[in-house]
Amino acid sequence: MTAPPRERRGRDIVVAQDTSELVWEVAIPGERIWTCWQGRPLGGLLLHAAVALEIGTGALLGLVDARVWNRDKGAVTPRRSRATEDKESQRWLDTTAHASEVLAAANSITVVSDRESDFYEHFARRPTNTHLIVRACQNRKIKDPEDADALLFTFTDDLPETDRYSVKIPAAPGRKARTAELALRFSPVKLCKPLHGAAPNLPDSIT
C-alpha cells in the first residue's frame, strides 16, 4: 500500500518506519481475529508503516509504504533455519528498498528504524542512495587492527564525546516527565558478518 509523498525533488528526507498492533474485538459471534505479538495473544492485525518527513521543517510529506498482516500460520520453523525473505524481518528490507525508489528524486534519504531492524542483511543490502539510522540491539564484532576481539558497544563507549544534548521526555501513562541527557560520539566502523543467521552470499564485513 503506498500513497506517494508530496513533491520531494531536492529535499532532504527522513523516513521513519515501525510496526504497530491493530487490536480489537469483533462483535459478531464466532468471528474473531487473533495474532501473537511478543509472545502475547492479541485480537487484531500487525501494521508496518513508513512516513516521510522533511529535514529542517519537520513537514510530513506522506505515507511511503504500509503492510498489514496477521500471524495465522501457527508454529513456524526455527528462526535461524529460515532465510530472511521467509521471516517477518523482510519488511525492514522491503520498506527501505521501496523508500529508495519512490523518493529517488530527493537530495538525501535517511531511513530510521528501531532495534528490531538491527540485523546484518539490513545493512548489507542498503540501497546506495539511502542512509540508515538503526537503534543498536546487537553488540556486534567489529574489525579493529588493534583488538581482534573488539565489540561495537565497547568501541563506541571509548570514543571521545563530541557533544551533549538535553531532551525533554513528556509524561505518558505510567511514566513521569523527565529530561534525558544524550551524548554524541561517532566514528566509522567495519561490522563483521555474524557466524549464524546471515545469508552465505553476504560480504564478510561492511563499513
Side-chain angles (χ1 to χ4, degrees):
M1 181 193 310
T2 304
R6 296 182 309 182
E7 176 58 41
R8 57 270 191 190
R9 189 174 305 277
R11 296 176 185 252
D12 294 303
I13 297 176
V14 163
V15 176
Q17 63 167 323
D18 205 358
T19 306
S20 299
E21 304 163 359
L22 307 177
V23 183
W24 71 91
E25 298 281 346
V26 179
I28 304 173
E31 294 291 332
R32 190 184 184 103
I33 301 176
W34 285 100
T35 187
C36 184
W37 187 246
Q38 296 177 343
R40 305 189 312 273
L42 298 169
L45 299 169
L46 297 173
L47 165 67
H48 188 77
V51 295
L53 304 102
E54 184 180 31
I55 296 176
T57 67
L60 178 62
L61 303 180
L63 181 68
V64 174
D65 198 24
R67 300 158 195 269
V68 179
W69 74 99
N70 183 38
R71 292 182 180 146
D72 57 359
K73 297 181 180 179
V76 295
T77 54
R79 177 175 58 85
R80 285 185 176 178
S81 64
R82 287 178 284 142
T84 300
E85 58 265 28
D86 296 326
K87 304 175 187 176
E88 290 183 356
S89 301
Q90 182 66 34
R91 68 190 187 277
W92 304 100
L93 296 171
D94 291 343
T95 301
T96 300
H98 195 236
S100 77
E101 295 172 3
V102 300
L103 300 171
N107 182 56
S108 67
I109 308 166
T110 303
V111 178
V112 180
S113 51
D114 210 347
R115 56 193 297 166
E116 191 181 351
S117 67
D118 179 8
F119 58 98
Y120 191 77
E121 191 164 350
H122 189 199
F123 306 124
R125 301 199 187 284
R126 175 185 63 86
T128 56
N129 67 335
T130 303
H131 302 286
L132 298 178
I133 296 179
V134 174
R135 183 184 179 194
C137 176
Q138 309 294 332
N139 192 14
R140 299 183 177 281
K141 184 176 180 179
I142 62 174
K143 287 188 177 294
D144 185 342
E146 299 181 1
D147 183 0
D149 299 315
L151 296 175
L152 178 63
F153 293 172
T154 305
F155 176 80
T156 54
D157 285 344
D158 290 340
L159 291 173
E161 188 174 311
T162 303
D163 208 340
R164 182 170 284 263
Y165 301 90
S166 294
V167 179
K168 293 183 178 179
I169 309 296
R175 184 187 70 193
K176 295 181 179 180
R178 63 186 178 89
T179 299
E181 290 287 326
L182 304 178
L184 175 63
R185 301 178 177 90
F186 59 88
S187 170
V189 294
K190 185 170 286 188
L191 302 178
C192 299
K193 181 179 177 180
L195 295 177
H196 305 288
N201 62 340
L202 297 180
D204 290 337
S205 64
I206 50 176
T207 301

mmCIF file of all heavy atoms in Angstrom, residues 73-97:
data_model
loop_
_atom_site.group_PDB
_atom_site.id
_atom_site.type_symbol
_atom_site.label_atom_id
_atom_site.label_comp_id
_atom_site.label_asym_id
_atom_site.label_seq_id
_atom_site.Cartn_x
_atom_site.Cartn_y
_atom_site.Cartn_z
ATOM 1 N N LYS A 73 -0.440 -18.718 10.625
ATOM 2 C CA LYS A 73 0.118 -19.965 10.123
ATOM 3 C C LYS A 73 0.533 -20.927 11.224
ATOM 4 O O LYS A 73 1.066 -22.000 10.952
ATOM 5 C CB LYS A 73 1.321 -19.670 9.220
ATOM 6 C CG LYS A 73 0.960 -18.868 7.976
ATOM 7 C CD LYS A 73 2.185 -18.621 7.116
ATOM 8 C CE LYS A 73 1.816 -17.821 5.877
ATOM 9 N NZ LYS A 73 3.000 -17.553 5.022
ATOM 10 N N GLY A 74 0.304 -20.561 12.483
ATOM 11 C CA GLY A 74 0.674 -21.441 13.580
ATOM 12 C C GLY A 74 2.172 -21.495 13.775
ATOM 13 O O GLY A 74 2.893 -20.546 13.487
ATOM 14 N N ALA A 75 2.669 -22.640 14.244
ATOM 15 C CA ALA A 75 4.090 -22.786 14.533
ATOM 16 C C ALA A 75 4.917 -22.689 13.254
ATOM 17 O O ALA A 75 4.494 -23.132 12.178
ATOM 18 C CB ALA A 75 4.344 -24.115 15.224
ATOM 19 N N VAL A 76 6.100 -22.098 13.363
ATOM 20 C CA VAL A 76 6.993 -21.977 12.221
ATOM 21 C C VAL A 76 8.318 -22.632 12.563
ATOM 22 O O VAL A 76 8.608 -22.942 13.719
ATOM 23 C CB VAL A 76 7.234 -20.493 11.849
ATOM 24 C CG1 VAL A 76 5.955 -19.849 11.367
ATOM 25 C CG2 VAL A 76 7.795 -19.716 13.041
ATOM 26 N N THR A 77 9.129 -22.863 11.542
ATOM 27 C CA THR A 77 10.435 -23.481 11.757
ATOM 28 C C THR A 77 11.343 -22.497 12.500
ATOM 29 O O THR A 77 11.113 -21.287 12.471
ATOM 30 C CB THR A 77 11.082 -23.858 10.414
ATOM 31 O OG1 THR A 77 11.128 -22.691 9.576
ATOM 32 C CG2 THR A 77 10.256 -24.944 9.724
ATOM 33 N N PRO A 78 12.385 -22.989 13.191
ATOM 34 C CA PRO A 78 13.278 -22.106 13.943
ATOM 35 C C PRO A 78 13.810 -20.961 13.095
ATOM 36 O O PRO A 78 14.091 -21.134 11.903
ATOM 37 C CB PRO A 78 14.396 -23.050 14.402
ATOM 38 C CG PRO A 78 13.742 -24.392 14.471
ATOM 39 C CD PRO A 78 12.751 -24.408 13.342
ATOM 40 N N ARG A 79 13.994 -19.807 13.716
ATOM 41 C CA ARG A 79 14.359 -18.583 13.013
ATOM 42 C C ARG A 79 15.652 -18.737 12.216
ATOM 43 O O ARG A 79 15.753 -18.293 11.077
ATOM 44 C CB ARG A 79 14.495 -17.448 14.035
ATOM 45 C CG ARG A 79 14.950 -16.125 13.473
ATOM 46 C CD ARG A 79 14.938 -15.062 14.548
ATOM 47 N NE ARG A 79 15.791 -15.427 15.671
ATOM 48 C CZ ARG A 79 17.102 -15.204 15.720
ATOM 49 N NH1 ARG A 79 17.700 -14.630 14.690
ATOM 50 N NH2 ARG A 79 17.816 -15.545 16.767
ATOM 51 N N ARG A 80 16.669 -19.371 12.829
ATOM 52 C CA ARG A 80 17.961 -19.458 12.168
ATOM 53 C C ARG A 80 17.965 -20.363 10.948
ATOM 54 O O ARG A 80 18.887 -20.311 10.123
ATOM 55 C CB ARG A 80 19.027 -19.932 13.161
ATOM 56 C CG ARG A 80 19.447 -18.855 14.156
ATOM 57 C CD ARG A 80 20.585 -19.329 15.030
ATOM 58 N NE ARG A 80 21.055 -18.273 15.922
ATOM 59 C CZ ARG A 80 22.007 -18.421 16.822
ATOM 60 N NH1 ARG A 80 22.601 -19.607 16.942
ATOM 61 N NH2 ARG A 80 22.382 -17.416 17.591
ATOM 62 N N SER A 81 16.965 -21.212 10.820
ATOM 63 C CA SER A 81 16.911 -22.120 9.677
ATOM 64 C C SER A 81 16.120 -21.543 8.517
ATOM 65 O O SER A 81 15.977 -22.194 7.482
ATOM 66 C CB SER A 81 16.298 -23.458 10.102
ATOM 67 O OG SER A 81 14.945 -23.282 10.509
ATOM 68 N N ARG A 82 15.619 -20.320 8.669
ATOM 69 C CA ARG A 82 14.845 -19.687 7.595
ATOM 70 C C ARG A 82 15.620 -18.523 6.987
ATOM 71 O O ARG A 82 16.318 -17.793 7.682
ATOM 72 C CB ARG A 82 13.513 -19.167 8.136
ATOM 73 C CG ARG A 82 12.493 -20.258 8.443
ATOM 74 C CD ARG A 82 11.221 -19.659 9.012
ATOM 75 N NE ARG A 82 11.399 -19.262 10.405
ATOM 76 C CZ ARG A 82 10.865 -18.177 10.947
ATOM 77 N NH1 ARG A 82 10.159 -17.337 10.208
ATOM 78 N NH2 ARG A 82 11.057 -17.894 12.228
ATOM 79 N N ALA A 83 15.468 -18.342 5.679
ATOM 80 C CA ALA A 83 16.061 -17.196 5.006
ATOM 81 C C ALA A 83 15.281 -15.937 5.390
ATOM 82 O O ALA A 83 14.124 -16.011 5.792
ATOM 83 C CB ALA A 83 16.023 -17.386 3.495
ATOM 84 N N THR A 84 15.919 -14.779 5.258
ATOM 85 C CA THR A 84 15.268 -13.531 5.657
ATOM 86 C C THR A 84 13.959 -13.320 4.922
ATOM 87 O O THR A 84 12.976 -12.840 5.499
ATOM 88 C CB THR A 84 16.209 -12.336 5.412
ATOM 89 O OG1 THR A 84 17.402 -12.520 6.174
ATOM 90 C CG2 THR A 84 15.557 -11.026 5.828
ATOM 91 N N GLU A 85 13.913 -13.666 3.632
ATOM 92 C CA GLU A 85 12.677 -13.452 2.869
ATOM 93 C C GLU A 85 11.509 -14.289 3.386
ATOM 94 O O GLU A 85 10.354 -14.021 3.053
ATOM 95 C CB GLU A 85 12.897 -13.720 1.377
ATOM 96 C CG GLU A 85 13.402 -15.102 1.044
ATOM 97 C CD GLU A 85 14.913 -15.144 0.901
ATOM 98 O OE1 GLU A 85 15.610 -14.324 1.533
ATOM 99 O OE2 GLU A 85 15.389 -16.024 0.142
ATOM 100 N N ASP A 86 11.798 -15.291 4.221
ATOM 101 C CA ASP A 86 10.748 -16.112 4.809
ATOM 102 C C ASP A 86 10.404 -15.686 6.235
ATOM 103 O O ASP A 86 9.633 -16.359 6.921
ATOM 104 C CB ASP A 86 11.172 -17.589 4.822
ATOM 105 C CG ASP A 86 11.363 -18.144 3.421
ATOM 106 O OD1 ASP A 86 10.607 -17.716 2.516
ATOM 107 O OD2 ASP A 86 12.271 -18.970 3.225
ATOM 108 N N LYS A 87 10.988 -14.579 6.692
ATOM 109 C CA LYS A 87 10.733 -14.065 8.031
ATOM 110 C C LYS A 87 10.007 -12.724 7.945
ATOM 111 O O LYS A 87 10.036 -12.041 6.921
ATOM 112 C CB LYS A 87 12.044 -13.855 8.790
ATOM 113 C CG LYS A 87 12.936 -15.065 8.908
ATOM 114 C CD LYS A 87 14.240 -14.658 9.588
ATOM 115 C CE LYS A 87 15.253 -15.783 9.591
ATOM 116 N NZ LYS A 87 16.538 -15.356 10.172
ATOM 117 N N GLU A 88 9.393 -12.336 9.051
ATOM 118 C CA GLU A 88 8.793 -11.002 9.108
ATOM 119 C C GLU A 88 9.857 -9.913 9.016
ATOM 120 O O GLU A 88 9.559 -8.773 8.648
ATOM 121 C CB GLU A 88 7.986 -10.848 10.395
ATOM 122 C CG GLU A 88 6.721 -11.676 10.415
ATOM 123 C CD GLU A 88 5.892 -11.463 11.674
ATOM 124 O OE1 GLU A 88 6.345 -10.720 12.563
ATOM 125 O OE2 GLU A 88 4.792 -12.031 11.763
ATOM 126 N N SER A 89 11.110 -10.245 9.313
ATOM 127 C CA SER A 89 12.204 -9.273 9.224
ATOM 128 C C SER A 89 12.341 -8.688 7.826
ATOM 129 O O SER A 89 12.877 -7.584 7.656
ATOM 130 C CB SER A 89 13.528 -9.940 9.615
ATOM 131 O OG SER A 89 13.484 -10.463 10.908
ATOM 132 N N GLN A 90 11.862 -9.401 6.825
ATOM 133 C CA GLN A 90 11.963 -8.929 5.446
ATOM 134 C C GLN A 90 11.290 -7.574 5.260
ATOM 135 O O GLN A 90 11.644 -6.814 4.360
ATOM 136 C CB GLN A 90 11.345 -9.965 4.497
ATOM 137 C CG GLN A 90 11.429 -9.620 3.030
ATOM 138 C CD GLN A 90 12.852 -9.589 2.491
ATOM 139 O OE1 GLN A 90 13.699 -10.371 2.943
ATOM 140 N NE2 GLN A 90 13.122 -8.714 1.538
ATOM 141 N N ARG A 91 10.337 -7.237 6.140
ATOM 142 C CA ARG A 91 9.608 -5.980 5.980
ATOM 143 C C ARG A 91 10.535 -4.772 6.079
ATOM 144 O O ARG A 91 10.307 -3.750 5.431
ATOM 145 C CB ARG A 91 8.490 -5.865 7.014
ATOM 146 C CG ARG A 91 8.948 -5.715 8.465
ATOM 147 C CD ARG A 91 7.756 -5.865 9.403
ATOM 148 N NE ARG A 91 8.048 -5.591 10.807
ATOM 149 C CZ ARG A 91 8.561 -6.444 11.662
ATOM 150 N NH1 ARG A 91 8.894 -7.673 11.242
ATOM 151 N NH2 ARG A 91 8.763 -6.111 12.923
ATOM 152 N N TRP A 92 11.599 -4.867 6.904
ATOM 153 C CA TRP A 92 12.534 -3.748 7.032
ATOM 154 C C TRP A 92 13.301 -3.537 5.734
ATOM 155 O O TRP A 92 13.516 -2.397 5.299
ATOM 156 C CB TRP A 92 13.508 -4.017 8.180
ATOM 157 C CG TRP A 92 12.847 -4.271 9.493
ATOM 158 C CD1 TRP A 92 12.626 -5.489 10.080
ATOM 159 C CD2 TRP A 92 12.288 -3.300 10.393
ATOM 160 N NE1 TRP A 92 11.983 -5.340 11.274
ATOM 161 C CE2 TRP A 92 11.760 -4.004 11.503
ATOM 162 C CE3 TRP A 92 12.192 -1.913 10.367
ATOM 163 C CZ2 TRP A 92 11.151 -3.368 12.574
ATOM 164 C CZ3 TRP A 92 11.588 -1.268 11.432
ATOM 165 C CH2 TRP A 92 11.072 -1.989 12.525
ATOM 166 N N LEU A 93 13.711 -4.632 5.087
ATOM 167 C CA LEU A 93 14.417 -4.545 3.818
ATOM 168 C C LEU A 93 13.516 -4.010 2.716
ATOM 169 O O LEU A 93 13.905 -3.132 1.941
ATOM 170 C CB LEU A 93 14.943 -5.927 3.422
ATOM 171 C CG LEU A 93 15.986 -6.580 4.324
ATOM 172 C CD1 LEU A 93 16.217 -8.010 3.890
ATOM 173 C CD2 LEU A 93 17.273 -5.801 4.301
ATOM 174 N N ASP A 94 12.285 -4.542 2.653
ATOM 175 C CA ASP A 94 11.360 -4.136 1.591
ATOM 176 C C ASP A 94 10.987 -2.667 1.710
ATOM 177 O O ASP A 94 10.931 -1.937 0.704
ATOM 178 C CB ASP A 94 10.088 -4.991 1.643
ATOM 179 C CG ASP A 94 10.335 -6.439 1.250
ATOM 180 O OD1 ASP A 94 11.392 -6.719 0.643
ATOM 181 O OD2 ASP A 94 9.482 -7.295 1.560
ATOM 182 N N THR A 95 10.727 -2.203 2.923
ATOM 183 C CA THR A 95 10.329 -0.813 3.116
ATOM 184 C C THR A 95 11.482 0.127 2.790
ATOM 185 O O THR A 95 11.285 1.176 2.157
ATOM 186 C CB THR A 95 9.839 -0.589 4.551
ATOM 187 O OG1 THR A 95 8.718 -1.455 4.795
ATOM 188 C CG2 THR A 95 9.417 0.850 4.779
ATOM 189 N N THR A 96 12.700 -0.234 3.201
ATOM 190 C CA THR A 96 13.863 0.585 2.886
ATOM 191 C C THR A 96 14.075 0.662 1.375
ATOM 192 O O THR A 96 14.325 1.735 0.819
ATOM 193 C CB THR A 96 15.119 0.023 3.566
ATOM 194 O OG1 THR A 96 14.930 0.018 4.987
ATOM 195 C CG2 THR A 96 16.349 0.844 3.228
ATOM 196 N N ALA A 97 13.960 -0.480 0.696
ATOM 197 C CA ALA A 97 14.133 -0.507 -0.752
ATOM 198 C C ALA A 97 13.060 0.320 -1.449
ATOM 199 O O ALA A 97 13.344 1.054 -2.408
ATOM 200 C CB ALA A 97 14.107 -1.954 -1.253
#
